Amino acid sequence: MRRWIERVTGAPGSTSFRRFRRIVSAANERGQWAGDLDDADLSRAARAALISPGRSAVVEPTADLLAVLRTAARRTLGEEPFDEQLLAACALAAGNAVEMDTGEGKTLAGALAAAAFAVAGRRVHVLSVNDYLAERDAAWMRPLFDSLDIRVGWVGQHTPLMTRAEMYRLDVVYAPVSEVGYDVLRDRFATTEADRVSPVLDVAIVDEADAVLIDEAVSPLVLAGTSTDSPEDFTLADALVQELDPGLHYAIDADHATVSLTDAGLDLLENRLGGVNLYDTAHTATLTRLNLALHAHVLVHRDVDYLVVDDAIKLINTARGRVAHQQRWPDGLHAAVEAKEQLTVSSPGIVLDTLTVQDLLRRYMTLSGMSGTMVAVAEELAEFYSLRSGRIERRLPNQRTDLPQRVFLDEDSRVDAVLVEARERHRAGQPVLVGTQSVAESEHYAKVLAEAGIEAHVLNARNDAREAAVIAEAGEYGAVTISTQMSGRGTDIRLGGIDEHDHRRVARSGGLAVLQIGRYPSGRLDAQLRGRSGRQGDPGTTATFVSTTDELVQANAPDHLLEKIRRRGSQLDQTTLGSIIDQAQRIAEGIQHDRHRDTWDFSRAIARQRDTVLGDREAVMNGDRAALEVTRRIPEAFDRLASASSPSVVARLARDVALWCLDEQWCDHLAHLTEIRDGIHLQALAGVNPRDEFHRIALREFRGFFASAYDRAADITRDVTPDQLGQDITVLGLRRPSATWTYMTSDNPLGSPMDRAARAAGKWIRTRVNRIE
Ligand code: ADP
Ligand code: MG
């Protein structure tokens, strides 16, 4: 019933782009006119074609503008935009989430939309998932922008601050979303306007938008600074937990998310520590360290969750199967894993400020995005970003065959089946792409294939830098490539090599065969991998090999179904097994959605307070708020200092001191809120809704924030001696961090206690609901 209604009315949050067809066909009629324009006239014609540069957040390109853009693209890039791409450009310019399959040409469609915005006088950020794509796309599209007098640039992790400021003054900037976020955070902490790089958050066109808007949305971007605290020492804790026996001394819960010490484990540890009581409040820190060390040993796996490169821990972003640069786990866990790997424990930092990707994106005046999988998350995009999603059909019919998934009861039989399939297709010359779940698994399959005489290129977080080059070759005749999740996303796999020299032979062999090992945590990720095959009307095949021993199944399938598999697995048919797998994935998706909503709810409360603080901070930095607040509190001291120098020198001092106090207080407040957040689940036990409770406490704790920051500023100023005037505030003992750095916290593998509780509850509820259905 629900399906039927959705077919008629569309899924919640989804929309049709049919209304733009009219403009596109009108643009076709203006093709001749635009084609007759001189190169030198394109820019002027584009601007003249724009009817309303308008105040509104979105732009509706006119037929003339589209015709000019198409002509400009043909002349400068040698690619004539297809109708579908013009349609996509219209939909993007109107602020939508656009679904277009892999290989349909989203890069060009996004650039056309960016050009339309730029012609209308808007500032555009085209946001990508990594540096490589930002640089590539800016270079690729530059001739198009040049011909229209649109200034374009790009920003990556290694772009110096000076250059960033220049780039952000351009009309169109290609950048990874995290870099823009870091710039916003760093700017927020600046003490003079000149230190800012000032990205303008006007229009964002997000590429691979579901990965950014949904999968990474609640990952906080963090600005951290040096702290004088010394790192916690996990050496002892690490040595102790190595003595523990699984089952006897600790237990892992069914969803593999938590590990806890048993009474026997606690006894052993207390003995080793000389008979202390670990539950005594005096030993809380030790117990926490032991728990973290245990977690690091049992639940965090080398080559799955992290790599060790150059004596440092590199986290693997499990959602993408690639190294997550500059990420770290929360300090304690990070140090515990470092101790486990016998690395030098890196120094902890203090978090100065954080910003979630979602929070950043919502600050743009206009938001739009494109990806091969958008409609599946239409509801969430509407809920979190008020975005409407629609699909633009392929230009050429899909020639890809998706074979039904095959479910195995153990790893060995799956490996055998994959081997048979790979060998057969490889023999026929068909390029094969094997999609795996982790670095370790990709290497395992590479070994298995090598033993069978098939050499494969392995594309995983280890050779991150070369991934685009390797994936581009994956369509060669007889090539075998093994990848982790979405590595190489954004790079086209062309049949018969990069220049398609061998396209016919490869197409005749059957095109790219995608063999997927296990299902990803969302149907979208599965679709992304399958979408690698059959681009632009090419032939292709996909096959999926799932094992009931897969983590996704074990962690998410309802217990009674797991039990059924354990008892009568070999008697169950493929349809039954398949539906259990589908159900496990749906549960994983639902948990993720709930988590997104929860995390967003918490971070929104913080974001609102952050905005208030920033408002005051601006008034202090660029106005006379500090002088007013401080004089009001200590008029005599102010007069005394002013007569020793001048009122403006004292005002300057008050400003610097007040900025320091505001920043310091925000940092403390943030730490405090995080602590409350992590402890809030205990409130749930008392029958209180944790979200409401958090909002209530957050509000209470924020009360008096400014009064106490300015009180402190006044106290400090009161004690200033005339000889300290006109100097840096460090003479007053006020230190700013000597260095700052940024990182994105990946999914906390530990999960805050709240996350874990939500996860357990989510699974429980869904199990019941599914049973009723
Ligand atoms: P997507 O991001 O949608 O997966 P890309 O933007 O990477 O696709 O483009 C895929 C390939 O299609 C690129 O190699 C690009 O050169 C080519 N392409 C895109 N648009 C056109 C066009 N209008 N004419 C010819 N080739 C195109
Ligand atoms: Mg792309």
Side-chain angles (χ1 to χ4, degrees):
M1 181 67 178
R2 181 156 169 219
R3 282 255 173 83
W4 182 83
I5 293 174
E6 283 180 5
R7 210 168 297 150
V8 177
T9 58
S14 73
T15 185
S16 154
F17 298 141
R18 208 176 304 140
R19 62 186 185 283
F20 300 118
R21 288 204 178 280
R22 195 179 38 78
I23 314 177
V24 173
S25 38
N28 284 332
E29 282 163 27
R30 296 293 281 160
Q32 177 85 44
W33 161 77
D36 288 342
L37 293 168
D38 281 343
D39 286 354
D41 287 335
L42 289 174
S43 165
R44 197 159 28 82
R47 278 156 231 269
L50 190 85
I51 295 177
S52 57
R55 292 274 129 70
S56 94
V58 296
V59 167
E60 178 155 325
T62 59
D64 281 7
L65 177 57
L66 291 183
V68 173
L69 293 177
R70 173 180 263 163
T71 304
R74 182 180 61 235
R75 288 189 195 163
T76 55
L77 306 174
E79 286 179 358
E80 165 131 14
F82 305 120
D83 283 2
E84 287 75 9
Q85 286 170 309
L86 291 187
L87 199 65
C90 289
L92 290 168
N96 291 289
V98 179
E99 175 170 297
M100 240 182 149
D101 285 346
T102 308
E104 291 290 293
K106 288 183 286 293
T107 317
L108 178 54
L112 295 172
F117 277 118
V119 164
R122 306 285 302 272
R123 305 288 263 321
V124 188
H125 292 171
V126 183
L127 301 173
S128 58
V129 286
N130 60 39
D131 284 9
Y132 167 78
L133 291 172
E135 181 176 12
R136 181 198 73 175
D137 293 352
W140 181 5
M141 295 296 145
R142 179 177 297 279
L144 169 68
F145 291 117
D146 283 349
S147 73
L148 297 164
D149 290 330
I150 294 168
R151 297 165 311 154
V152 62
W154 72 280
V155 167
Q157 348 177 9
H158 303 297
T159 311
L161 291 180
M162 288 288 288
T163 320
R164 284 171 192 257
E166 268 167 49
M167 290 299 158
Y168 287 128
R169 284 196 287 272
L170 303 176
D171 305 308
V172 178
V173 188
Y174 283 80
V177 65
S178 50
E179 288 308 309
V180 179
Y182 296 146
D183 285 333
V184 167
L185 282 170
R186 275 187 294 252
D187 271 5
R188 168 249 183 281
F189 213 63
T191 50
T192 62
E193 206 56 53
D195 289 339
R196 292 186 162 163
V197 301
S198 307
V200 182
L201 305 186
D202 183 14
V203 178
I205 300 176
V206 188
D207 196 7
E208 304 295 351
D210 57 324
V212 175
L213 297 172
I214 302 294
D215 299 331
E216 284 179 359
V218 289
S219 311
L221 302 167
V222 179
L223 176 71
T226 39
S227 125
T228 43
D229 301 350
S230 53
E232 270 190 271
D233 190 355
F234 277 83
T235 334
L236 176 64
D238 190 71
L240 286 175
V241 301
Q242 292 196 41
E243 294 183 29
L244 304 177
D245 283 332
L248 175 61
H249 295 129
Y250 60 86
I252 305 170
D253 77 345
D255 66 0
H256 296 252
T258 40
V259 52
S260 37
L261 290 164
T262 59
D263 286 343
L266 278 164
D267 285 348
L268 182 99
L269 291 170
E270 289 177 340
N271 264 326
R272 286 280 184 281
L273 289 165
V276 299
N277 173 7
L278 280 171
Y279 278 107
D280 191 302
T281 44
H283 298 292
T284 313
T286 312
L287 183 59
T288 308
R289 259 202 300 279
L290 287 165
N291 272 318
L292 285 166
L294 185 62
H295 191 101
H297 268 279
V298 180
L299 295 180
V300 183
H301 304 291
R302 184 169 176 163
D303 292 343
V304 175
D305 300 304
Y306 66 95
L307 303 175
V308 177
V309 184
D310 299 336
D311 288 336
I313 303 283
K314 300 275 183 208
L315 269 62
I316 296 174
N317 177 336
T318 40
R320 285 209 229 139
R322 45 189 299 159
V323 168
H325 289 288
Q326 298 171 313
Q327 292 193 1
R328 44 185 293 139
W329 287 305
D331 278 332
L333 181 61
H334 208 88
V337 177
E338 284 169 332
K340 165 185 165 191
E341 295 293 343
Q342 292 164 3
L343 304 170
T344 330
V345 176
S346 51
S347 115
I350 42 166
V351 172
L352 302 174
D353 200 7
T354 65
L355 177 72
T356 62
V357 169
Q358 177 155 341
D359 208 10
L360 171 71
L361 290 169
R362 286 172 55 106
R363 279 157 199 263
Y364 282 88
M365 167 104 158
T366 305
L367 179 63
S368 62
M370 52 196 181
S371 157
T373 42
M374 290 264 59
V375 175
V377 278
E379 215 171 317
E380 281 147 284
L381 292 170
E383 175 181 348
F384 298 124
Y385 302 95
S386 315
L387 268 180
R388 296 201 140 267
S389 318
R391 176 173 168 80
I392 293 179
E393 284 308 328
R394 286 167 170 253
R395 189 171 60 90
L396 301 171
N398 190 355
Q399 306 273 12
R400 189 183 77 209
T401 314
D402 296 325
L403 301 173
Q405 76 175 339
R406 289 165 63 188
V407 185
F408 302 86
L409 296 172
D410 56 76
E411 182 59 26
D412 286 348
S413 48
R414 167 166 63 188
V415 170
D416 291 343
V418 172
L419 201 55
V420 167
E421 190 84 27
R423 193 187 286 131
E424 209 166 284
R425 297 191 180 271
H426 178 62
R427 237 180 238 149
Q430 230 181 320
V432 176
L433 175 67
V434 182
T436 58
Q437 303 282 329
S438 67
V439 176
E441 197 175 60
S442 69
E443 279 168 0
H444 173 60
Y445 275 85
K447 199 164 130 258
V448 168
L449 287 174
E451 280 162 11
I454 305 173
E455 284 306 322
H457 288 286
V458 185
L459 184 74
N460 60 31
R462 277 188 204 288
N463 46 22
D464 185 76
R466 284 185 52 239
E467 84 182 22
V470 174
I471 201 88
E473 304 275 331
E476 292 271 9
Y477 188 81
V480 181
T481 313
I482 303 183
S483 84
T484 50
Q485 295 234 24
M486 288 295 118
S487 32
R489 205 173 181 183
T491 308
D492 212 19
I493 303 184
R494 296 178 169 211
L495 294 191
I498 300 171
D499 57 359
E500 302 186 68
H501 62 275
D502 211 3
H503 189 278
R504 282 201 25 213
R505 184 161 67 128
V506 176
R508 260 203 316 269
S509 76
L512 181 66
V514 168
L515 310 185
Q516 178 175 349
I517 315 298
R519 295 267 294 268
Y520 293 119
S522 85
R524 256 179 316 115
L525 295 173
D526 292 342
Q528 285 283 354
L529 177 66
R530 287 197 301 273
R532 289 293 196 172
S533 171
R535 66 180 276 285
Q536 298 201 1
D538 283 339
T541 326
T542 70
T544 307
F545 303 81
V546 188
S547 164
T548 53
T549 54
D550 283 344
E551 173 81 21
L552 179 86
V553 183
Q554 289 298 319
N556 295 291
D559 293 338
H560 71 280
L561 293 179
L562 289 176
E563 186 53 35
K564 190 163 156 182
I565 292 173
R566 256 191 304 277
R567 276 191 291 117
R568 320 188 272 116
S570 51
Q571 295 153 39
L572 299 177
D573 59 20
Q574 283 290 315
T575 322
T576 313
L577 288 170
S579 77
I580 295 176
I581 308 294
D582 294 346
Q583 195 172 331
Q585 188 180 57
R586 274 202 306 280
I587 290 174
E589 286 172 346
I591 290 171
Q592 199 53 37
H593 186 168
D594 289 353
R595 214 178 134 240
H596 188 164
R597 185 178 293 134
D598 274 346
T599 320
W600 173 234
D601 214 66
F602 282 100
S603 59
R604 199 167 40 187
I606 300 176
R608 246 184 256 128
Q609 299 186 346
R610 182 175 179 276
D611 281 345
T612 321
V613 173
L614 283 189
D616 244 55
R617 197 183 185 280
E618 284 303 310
V620 167
M621 189 173 129
N622 295 320
D624 55 3
R625 166 80 48 92
L628 292 175
E629 293 286 353
V630 173
T631 15
R632 196 159 62 77
R633 286 174 169 79
I634 45 161
E636 304 84 24
F638 198 91
D639 289 345
R640 172 176 58 81
L641 290 170
S643 59
S645 57
S646 74
S648 70
V649 169
V650 189
R652 168 95 206 170
L653 174 83
R655 169 192 176 278
D656 292 351
V657 172
L659 278 183
W660 186 89
C661 291
L662 282 173
D663 290 344
E664 185 80 359
Q665 183 143 332
W666 175 247
C667 181
D668 290 348
H669 182 65
L670 203 58
H672 186 52
L673 288 182
T674 312
E675 243 166 56
I676 296 170
R677 193 207 129 143
D678 289 349
I680 202 82
H681 71 294
L682 295 173
Q683 308 276 339
L685 301 178
V688 185
N689 174 339
R691 262 185 261 171
D692 295 348
E693 189 62 8
F694 179 76
H695 282 269
R696 207 181 57 73
I697 300 177
L699 213 60
R700 187 188 70 203
E701 296 299 310
F702 190 61
R703 216 168 285 146
F705 181 95
F706 294 109
S708 84
Y710 295 129
D711 284 352
R712 189 165 175 201
D715 283 346
I716 294 170
T717 311
R718 183 189 294 122
D719 297 337
V720 171
T721 56
D723 60 307
Q724 289 172 324
L725 284 169
Q727 296 194 52
D728 194 90
I729 56 166
T730 46
V731 301
L732 307 176
L734 309 182
R735 261 170 229 297
R736 291 190 152 268
S738 57
T740 61
W741 63 95
T742 50
Y743 58 88
M744 192 168 180
T745 54
S746 66
D747 260 2
N748 179 356
L750 201 61
S752 71
M754 213 271 316
D755 287 344
R756 282 200 304 263
R759 190 169 156 151
K763 182 172 171 182
W764 187 86
I765 291 164
R766 274 191 189 73
T767 307
R768 265 71 196 166
V769 171
N770 283 319
R771 262 191 185 175
I772 295 162
E773 269 175 3

